Amino acid sequence: MPLEINGSGNQVVDLVYVDDVARVLVDGPDGDYGRVLDAGTGVGWTVRDVARKVIEACGSKSGVMHIPMRHGEPEDACVVAPAGLCAEHAFPYKLEETVAWYARELGLKWG
């Protein structure tokens, strides 16, 4: 089954590992309360490249299928946080660990 990509897949995202987000939430900014934090790596990946990496990590032969953009989402979306808050585990560093977790927890077999 192909992975569905909304639009062209040229949208840019900043993927953050859950442990890094938890660290940012627990540690917080010392004495700087009330400020909005952008937890990210500062590195952007296109949705198309993320899909390719996920397919590789799963050992899958599936491709991608482009479907219409979601209502209200711009085709040229770029969501990349300032570098620094979650740069420890930048994508795709923890992708294989994440894929293994899903396979184990959901009883899935990839390929």
Side-chain angles (χ1 to χ4, degrees):
M1 172 180 274
L3 288 180
E4 292 182 350
I5 293 179
N6 294 90
S8 67
N10 289 328
Q11 307 90 320
V12 178
V13 294
D14 183 351
L15 299 175
V16 181
Y17 189 61
V18 65
D19 288 354
D20 291 337
V21 174
R23 181 180 42 78
V24 168
L25 292 174
V26 169
D27 292 348
D30 292 333
D32 197 12
Y33 300 102
R35 191 181 106 206
V36 174
L37 293 176
D38 283 329
T41 66
V43 177
W45 289 79
T46 66
V47 171
R48 187 179 56 255
D49 288 339
V50 171
R52 182 178 49 81
K53 289 283 191 189
V54 168
I55 290 168
E56 288 174 8
C58 293
S60 177
K61 292 179 176 49
S62 69
V64 299
M65 179 172 66
H66 293 271
I67 61 175
M69 289 297 296
R70 292 179 291 234
H71 180 71
E73 182 181 5
E75 178 72 35
D76 59 352
C78 181
V79 181
V80 179
L85 286 178
C86 289
E88 186 175 346
H89 297 111
F91 180 81
Y93 178 71
K94 290 286 193 170
L95 180 59
E96 287 185 17
E97 184 176 319
T98 301
V99 167
W101 183 90
Y102 274 99
R104 182 177 60 253
E105 293 297 314
L106 300 175
L108 301 173
K109 301 249 188 274
W110 309 112

